[in-house]
């Protein structure tokens, strides 16, 4: 993807410069209560003629911003029906006015469009001409500004927004009074002309184009490209024909990816249902027609959840909330993927359903436990996958397949409907071919779930945004000390050093950090009592003298569980470990402190090396444990983390012909709890940076993987 074009237009006090990719339109309070007769505004004495005159220019700006693919935000002022969020002075002030001839009704009173300024009433909603489209964000605010007691800042950060265009029912002339300190003022026409120069206008939102028609696909498998193609009439059914052809071809390369695959006919029928539901291609939901896979530890109604362990398989009656959110946004479910049994492992070699292999080289492990999810994305069979992560299960296999594995802060995405591995540490992970795609899916899935005991609100630690000047391109990062990095293979150590240099060229400042809380927390996960929680997810006495159950366990998983039982951990030991966890978490918070000594991210190799399948099978427990050197700590310390491709290195091919192939290398950005947006943006900048003059894009990586697949098949033929 090319670097975003900077646009500019004349404004007061001086020209405004912005990047469309990082700019949002904020439409303020264009509600019926303020704009239509007998609404709250007219009850308060507002001139309807004046406010209604704002609708046509706001619509022009809204249409232009949609055409330029800007993020769109709408605000609505209003209160809960019980007025529990309405300050008493807002009502008293109206009634107490000395010349109260106009204030005949106050907030909450009944008007012709329902109760005035009450959420859910007709008058509270936005006027018909400016109704939000699918994917646009609506912020309900209780007044006192759009940022007061709302999720607006969190949503802006989630979309990497640094600049705003503001319009609507608001007084704006005061903003530019201090030489641009608070903002700029511009006339509409220069803004429209600037937006018309945006690169995004190569895909016009033209309703005169037939709704659905043949369009060349081009093979670029990312959400933005597919959304653009759908917006000009590309048929989802045509794309799905290609997807299922690729799936069938890849079964010949690796038959161990899928545990359940939807029939092509059923997915095509769902695609046709989507087309019927969303006939206007200019109003498609963000994930319209985007195919995705799901790890088989996540519930989908009517489809067995097996966790690769037959005695524990069950057919859920309802789907996980995160799965339902994806369907609501237009995504198309393709199938459920293989995993290390009971999500126990980082190698991908612990499933009774076969061993998925790295998409780069079939001799090498895919990583786990989200093995099938990462291979399905890495092989270009789906656009993204829904998986899980406890100790690195979504990051390590992403690294071994040259893709992105993003583990949000635990609790930002509901874990309801997920078969737990370690319930207090589990989280959903998003697997995608790029940081942008992972970020978009996260933004759509992030939602507080009161039924999830570990759910969190998105409100982060307060951090400002540097949108202009040198500070906009600088950040601080830390890395493990040399003795911690000594466990890495020579190739990994060399490539990690290269990544550190690249980060510095991007504006990163390397800051010394205390690595000890990360190292100690990582050891706590499996060398302490926390591993006992894996047994807590099993039915009582499930392992005791039940040979039928035990015989269905993978031998390595059975050995791990037996070792946990044999430890006879005590409650005292468990409490000591919980206290240690709290201590290490507090120490890690100091590393990420909002201060001159704190860092924005800690950067680590995603794994220290990449084993072959034969190496892991020969020494399964030790090899697996070694892979978690830099991933085990993240959930213990309540961090967010995103694994990003960072280059490749050469390895001999197994054919014995003397030819060589490639394997991917990956680094992980660790960020503080609920600092996901900041962490993702630094990861995105790294992803977009160049390697030896080439753009490090998801499409290029997919082409490299397909070349590797072709080379392997040719090598097998020659042998």
């Amino acid at each position: 993807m090319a670097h975003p074009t900077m646009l500019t237009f004349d404004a007061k006090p001086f020209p405004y410069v912005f990047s469309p990719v990082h700019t949002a339109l904020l439409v303020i309070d264009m509600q019926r209560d303020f704009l239509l007769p007998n609404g709250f505004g007219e009850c308060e004495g507002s001139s309807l003629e004046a406010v209604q005159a704002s609708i046509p220019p706001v619509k022009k700006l809204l249409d232009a911003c949609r055409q330029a693919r800007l993020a769109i935000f709408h605000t609505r002022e209003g209160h809960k029906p019980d007025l529990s969020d309405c300050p008493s002075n807002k009502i008293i002030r109206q009634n107490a006015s000395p010349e109260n001839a106009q204030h005949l009704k106050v907030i909450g009173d009944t008007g012709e469009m329902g109760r005035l300024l009450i959420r859910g009433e007709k008058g509270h909603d936005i006027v018909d001409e400016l109704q939000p489209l699918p994917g646009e964000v609506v912020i309900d605010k209780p007044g006192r500004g759009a940022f007061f007691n709302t999720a607006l800042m969190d949503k802006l950060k989630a979309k990497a927004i640094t600049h705003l265009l503001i319009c609507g029912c608001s007084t704006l002339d005061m903003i530019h009074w201090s030489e641009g300190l608070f903002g700029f003022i511009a006339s509409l026409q220069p803004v429209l002309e600037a937006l018309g120069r945006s690169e995004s206008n190569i895909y016009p939102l033209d309703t005169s184009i037939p709704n659905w028609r043949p369009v060349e696909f081009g093979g670029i498998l990312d959400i933005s490209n597919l959304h653009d193609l759908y917006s000009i009439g590309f048929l989802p059914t045509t794309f799905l024909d290609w997807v299922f052809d690729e799936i069938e071809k890849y079964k010949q390369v690796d038959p161990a990816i899928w545990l359940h695959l939807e029939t092509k006919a059923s997915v095509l029928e769902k695609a046709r249902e989507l087309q019927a539901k969303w006939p206007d291609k200019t109003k498609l939901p963000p994930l319209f027609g985007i195919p995705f896979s799901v790890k088989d530890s996540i519930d989908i109604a009517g489809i067995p959840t097996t966790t690769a362990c037959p005695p524990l398989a069950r057919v859920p009656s309802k789907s996980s909330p995160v799965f339902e959110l994806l369907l609501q946004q237009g995504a198309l479910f393709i199938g459920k993927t293989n995993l290390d049994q009971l999500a126990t492992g980082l190698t991908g070699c612990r499933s009774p359903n076969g061993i998925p292999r790295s998409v780069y080289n079939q001799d090498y492990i895919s990583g786990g436990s989200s093995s099938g999810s990462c291979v399905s994305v890495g092989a270009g069979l789906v656009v993204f996958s829904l998986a899980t992560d406890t100790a690195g299960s979504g990051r390590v296999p992403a690294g071994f397949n040259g893709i992105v594995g993003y583990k949000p802060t635990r609790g930002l995405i509901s874990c309801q409907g997920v078969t737990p591995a370690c319930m207090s540490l589990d989280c959903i992970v998003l697997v995608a071919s790029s940081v942008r795609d992972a970020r978009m899916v996260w933004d759509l899935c992030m939602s507080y779930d009161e039924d999830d005991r570990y759910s969190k609100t998105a409100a982060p630690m307060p951090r400002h945004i540097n949108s202009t000047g040198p500070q906009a391109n600088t950040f601080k990062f830390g890395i493990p000390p040399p003795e911690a990095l000594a466990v890495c293979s020579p190739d990994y150590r060399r490539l990690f050093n290269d990544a550190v240099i690249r980060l510095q060229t991007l504006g990163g400042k390397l800051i010394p950090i205390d690595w000890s809380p990360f190292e100690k927390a990582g050891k706590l996960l499996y060398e302490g009592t926390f591993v006992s929680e894996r047994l807590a997810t099993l039915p009582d006495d499930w392992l005791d003298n039940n040979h039928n159950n035990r015989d269905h366990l993978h031998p390595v998983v059975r050995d791990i569980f037996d070792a946990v039982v044999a430890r006879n951990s005590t409650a005292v030991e468990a409490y000591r470990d919980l206290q240690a966890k709290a201590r290490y978490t507090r120490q890690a918070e100091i590393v990420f402190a909002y201060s001159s000594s704190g860092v924005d991210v800690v950067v680590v190799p995603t794994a220290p090396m990449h084993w072959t399948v034969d190496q892991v099978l020969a020494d399964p427990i030790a090899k697996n444990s070694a892979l978690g050197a830099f991933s085990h700590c993240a959930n213990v310390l309540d961090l967010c983390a995103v694994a990003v491709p960072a280059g490749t290195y050469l390895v001999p091919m197994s054919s014995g012909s003397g030819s060589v192939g490639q394997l991917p290398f990956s680094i992980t950005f660790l960020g503080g709890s609920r600092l996901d947006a900041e962490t993702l943006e630094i990861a995105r900048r790294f992803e977009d940076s160049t390697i030896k003059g080439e753009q490090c894009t998801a499409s290029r990586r997919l082409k490299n993987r397909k070349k590797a697949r072709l080379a392997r098949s040719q090598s097998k033929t020659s042998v």
Side-chain angles (χ1 to χ4, degrees):
M1 180 179 291
H3 291 288
T5 300
M6 301 300 291
L7 302 177
T8 185
F9 55 81
D10 288 335
K12 298 177 184 179
F14 50 85
Y16 185 70
V17 180
F18 67 102
S19 163
V21 174
H22 297 290
T23 301
L25 174 67
L26 181 61
V27 184
I28 303 291
D29 300 352
M30 298 297 284
Q31 299 162 243
R32 297 187 181 108
D33 257 339
F34 293 131
L35 296 168
L36 298 187
N38 302 305
F40 180 78
E42 189 175 48
C43 289
E44 294 301 294
S46 298
S47 167
L48 284 186
E49 182 180 358
V51 293
Q52 288 179 352
S54 68
I55 296 176
V58 168
K59 180 167 174 50
K60 286 183 180 180
L61 181 57
L62 180 60
D63 289 344
C65 288
R66 286 169 174 166
Q67 176 72 61
R69 304 300 197 272
L70 268 65
I72 309 295
F73 287 73
H74 305 260
T75 70
R76 299 183 301 198
E77 181 173 348
H79 298 278
K80 298 176 182 178
D82 62 5
L83 296 178
S84 59
D85 62 346
C86 182
S88 59
N89 68 332
K90 287 185 73 172
I91 298 176
I92 294 172
R93 191 171 57 215
Q94 289 179 279
N95 285 324
S97 176
E99 300 178 2
N100 187 11
Q102 184 65 38
H103 299 167
L104 303 179
K105 294 181 183 292
V106 297
I107 296 171
D109 285 348
T110 300
E112 293 190 10
M113 293 182 289
R115 295 177 66 200
L116 299 175
L117 287 191
I118 297 298
R119 296 174 190 177
E121 301 287 349
K122 181 179 180 181
H124 178 256
D125 203 6
I126 294 166
V127 295
D128 293 344
E129 298 93 324
L130 306 174
Q131 276 287 306
L133 297 184
E136 296 179 357
V137 180
V138 178
I139 299 292
D140 284 323
K141 60 190 181 73
R144 297 190 177 183
F147 290 91
F148 173 75
N149 198 23
T150 73
L152 179 56
M153 178 60 83
D154 306 321
K155 291 294 186 181
L156 290 170
K157 284 188 174 183
K159 296 181 183 295
I161 299 302
T162 59
H163 291 66
L164 290 175
L165 302 178
I166 303 174
C167 66
C169 290
S170 181
T171 301
L172 302 177
D173 284 330
M174 50 76 62
I175 331 185
H176 76 281
W177 71 271
S178 186
E179 300 300 323
L181 176 62
F182 298 110
F184 302 74
I185 292 291
S187 299
L188 176 62
Q189 192 56 37
V191 182
L192 298 179
E193 292 172 358
L195 291 168
R197 297 191 293 271
S198 171
E199 288 183 350
S200 298
N201 284 291
I202 60 174
Y203 292 103
L205 297 176
D206 186 351
T207 55
S208 66
I209 297 175
N211 269 348
W212 304 107
R213 62 195 179 99
V215 176
E216 185 176 350
F217 168 40
I220 301 177
L221 207 64
D222 65 56
I223 295 174
S224 177
N225 178 66
L226 287 169
H227 197 276
D228 285 342
L229 290 174
Y230 288 141
S231 72
I232 59 171
F234 182 47
L235 285 162
T237 50
T238 300
F239 175 49
L240 290 170
D241 283 335
W242 181 89
V243 167
F244 275 91
D245 285 348
E246 290 293 300
I247 289 173
E248 290 304 315
K249 290 176 187 176
Y250 205 76
K251 284 181 180 178
Q252 307 306 311
V253 177
D254 192 339
I257 300 173
W258 303 98
L259 297 188
H260 166 84
L261 194 62
E262 294 282 272
T263 66
K264 180 178 178 180
S266 67
V267 179
L268 288 173
E269 179 58 30
K270 289 174 183 175
R272 285 188 283 268
E273 290 173 3
L274 280 179
Q275 288 177 228
K277 183 178 181 180
W278 305 100
D280 187 344
K281 64 188 184 313
T282 68
K283 298 179 180 179
L284 302 177
L287 298 180
F288 178 89
I290 303 297
F292 72 105
S293 62
V294 176
K295 184 177 181 178
D296 192 23
S297 59
I298 300 173
D299 286 350
I300 300 174
I303 299 175
T305 300
T306 73
T307 59
C309 186
L312 293 176
R314 56 190 175 78
V315 179
S317 59
K318 67 176 184 178
S319 300
S320 64
V322 63
F323 178 81
E324 291 292 347
L325 284 173
L326 294 173
L327 296 188
Q328 291 168 16
Q329 297 296 334
L332 288 168
F333 168 62
I334 300 299
K336 300 191 79 172
T337 56
N338 201 358
L339 69 158
D340 281 330
Q341 190 178 63
L342 298 175
T344 302
L346 290 175
T347 64
C349 298
R350 298 178 178 176
S351 172
N353 302 299
I355 299 175
R357 311 294 179 111
S358 169
V359 298
Y360 278 79
N361 191 314
Q362 292 285 288
D363 294 336
Y364 285 78
I365 61 173
S366 65
S369 62
S370 305
S371 50
S373 285
C374 290
V375 174
S376 69
V377 174
L381 310 181
V382 293
V383 176
F384 70 91
S385 188
L386 203 58
T388 65
D389 188 301
T390 304
S393 293
R395 291 163 280 151
V396 170
F400 289 167
N401 289 281
I403 55 175
V404 171
Y406 165 44
K407 185 208 78 63
T409 300
R410 287 186 300 110
L412 292 188
I413 296 178
S414 174
C415 260
Q416 282 286 95
V418 174
T419 301
C422 291
M423 184 180 291
S424 67
L425 298 175
D426 295 340
C427 70
I428 292 290
V429 69
L430 304 169
V431 180
S433 61
S434 69
V435 175
R436 282 183 173 86
D437 280 1
R439 183 177 199 149
M440 175 181 285
V441 177
W442 167 64
D443 185 30
L444 295 170
C445 291
M446 182 172 51
S447 178
Y448 177 75
D449 181 1
E450 62 183 14
D451 293 325
D452 179 358
R453 70 194 74 180
Y454 295 107
S455 189
K456 294 186 180 79
T457 59
M461 292 181 282
R463 302 215 172 187
H464 66 269
I465 297 173
N466 290 317
S467 59
T468 58
Q471 295 92 337
N473 295 313
T474 59
F475 57 92
K476 295 179 293 182
F477 71 102
I479 62 173
E483 57 269 25
L485 293 168
V487 299
C488 295
S489 69
D491 284 318
Y492 271 39
R493 185 64 190 271
R494 172 179 56 82
L495 288 166
F496 184 71
N497 290 340
D498 291 346
V500 170
I501 293 171
R502 284 173 57 197
L503 287 166
Q504 291 173 314
T505 62
L506 290 173
K509 182 180 180 182
L510 183 59
I511 303 291
I513 63 167
D514 178 10
W515 176 249
S516 63
F518 301 89
E519 183 176 19
K520 292 175 181 177
K523 291 180 178 178
L524 193 65
L525 185 59
Y526 285 109
E527 296 178 16
T529 59
F530 288 179
V531 69
S532 299
E533 191 176 9
R534 290 190 177 267
L535 299 185
T537 65
L538 300 175
D540 291 342
D541 303 324
W542 193 80
L543 289 174
D544 295 349
N545 301 317
N546 190 325
H547 295 292
N548 184 53
N549 288 342
R550 294 177 62 83
D551 289 346
H552 280 93
L553 286 176
H554 188 279
V556 177
V557 176
R558 185 171 61 240
D559 289 346
I560 292 170
F561 286 179
D562 286 344
V564 173
V565 173
R567 289 179 57 169
N568 289 316
S569 297
T570 67
V572 171
E573 291 172 327
Y575 275 111
R576 285 173 178 163
D577 284 348
L578 286 171
Q579 292 163 3
K581 175 180 179 288
R583 181 167 63 254
Y584 303 150
T585 301
R586 182 56 50 86
Q587 292 169 351
E589 288 173 355
I590 295 172
V591 173
F592 294 105
Y594 192 29
S595 66
S596 59
S597 60
V599 298
D600 297 296
V601 291
V602 172
V603 183
V604 299
T606 299
M609 70 285 291
H610 193 167
W611 306 113
T612 66
V613 172
D614 289 342
Q615 287 173 317
V616 170
L617 295 180
D619 189 10
I621 293 179
K623 290 291 190 285
N624 183 90
S625 179
L627 292 179
F630 304 109
S631 66
H632 282 169
C633 66
N635 282 325
V636 177
L637 298 176
D638 199 24
L639 307 178
C640 61
V642 54
V644 181
T648 58
Y649 60 101
L650 300 178
V651 293
M653 298 294 286
S654 61
S655 63
S657 62
S659 60
V660 295
Q662 289 184 332
L663 282 178
F665 172 70
S666 170
I667 64 172
T668 290
F669 295 85
L670 298 170
S673 179
R674 290 184 281 193
L675 292 177
D676 298 61
E678 291 86 347
T679 304
L680 283 165
E681 184 57 16
I682 295 172
R684 192 275 309 166
R685 290 183 58 198
F686 178 84
E687 181 182 61
D688 284 354
S689 65
T690 57
I691 305 177
K692 296 181 180 179
E694 285 191 73
Q695 193 73 20
C696 183
T697 62
S699 59
R700 183 169 64 83
R701 292 198 299 267
L702 180 58
K703 289 179 182 177
N704 285 343
R705 294 194 295 271
K706 290 190 173 181
K707 286 180 182 178
R709 187 198 312 177
L710 178 62
R712 288 196 302 273
S713 63
Q714 291 174 342
S715 175
K716 290 178 181 178
T717 303
S718 64
V719 173

